[in-house]
């Protein structure tokens, strides 16, 4: 299966137009330090071990720090049957406000 790539700066408008779930795949402690509003945390380690219970009817938009690990996550999630969009650039390139804590 394949997935799409978008610039991280387009994550929120794309999520809204696609009714997608934004997923931060970083470790929980990194997520709590600051994440894109409305995103959920699903660490890459859980994706690698197949611990994914998200609805396959929803598009998933994944991001990490730089975009490298999210590319791997997008490949894995796509192979599990999810429609996935990967964010190129990662949260380091994101210029919007961040939410701290859970």
């Amino acid at each position: 299966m394949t997935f799409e790539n978008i610039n991280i700066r387009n994550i929120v408008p794309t999520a809204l137009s696609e009714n997608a779930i934004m997923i931060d795949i970083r470790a929980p402690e990194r997520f709590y330090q600051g994440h894109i509003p409305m995103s959920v945390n699903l660490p890459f380690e859980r994706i690698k071990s197949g611990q994914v219970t998200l609805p396959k009817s929803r598009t998933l938009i994944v991001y990490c720090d730089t975009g490298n690990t999210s590319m791997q996550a997008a490949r894995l999630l796509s192979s599990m049957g999810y429609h996935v969009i990967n964010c190129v650039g990662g949260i380091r390139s994101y210029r919007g406000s961040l939410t701290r804590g859970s």
Side-chain angles (χ1 to χ4, degrees):
M1 305 206 64
T2 60
F3 56 89
E4 299 174 55
N5 288 303
I6 62 167
N7 186 296
I8 188 79
R9 294 176 184 178
N10 298 322
I11 188 172
V12 173
T14 302
L16 292 172
S17 70
E18 299 265 340
N19 189 30
I21 302 170
M22 294 185 292
I23 302 172
D24 185 321
I25 65 159
R26 300 174 302 153
E29 53 276 3
R30 296 297 310 264
F31 177 80
Y32 297 129
Q33 289 172 358
H35 55 274
I36 297 171
M38 300 179 293
S39 61
V40 297
N41 186 226
L42 178 59
F44 182 60
E45 296 304 319
R46 287 188 48 206
I47 295 170
K48 281 197 319 190
S49 65
Q51 298 176 32
V52 182
T53 59
L54 297 166
K56 291 191 176 175
S57 60
R58 301 275 303 274
T59 297
L60 308 181
I61 303 179
V62 294
Y63 70 90
C64 63
D65 275 324
T66 63
N68 292 327
T69 307
S70 64
M71 178 92 56
Q72 295 174 47
R75 282 190 193 108
L76 286 169
L77 290 165
S78 181
S79 72
M80 293 176 194
Y82 289 95
H83 177 252
V84 185
I85 299 173
N86 174 56
C87 288
V88 176
I91 199 165
R92 290 184 185 175
S93 298
Y94 181 72
R95 298 294 174 242
S97 63
L98 298 176
T99 299
R100 301 200 190 293
S102 58

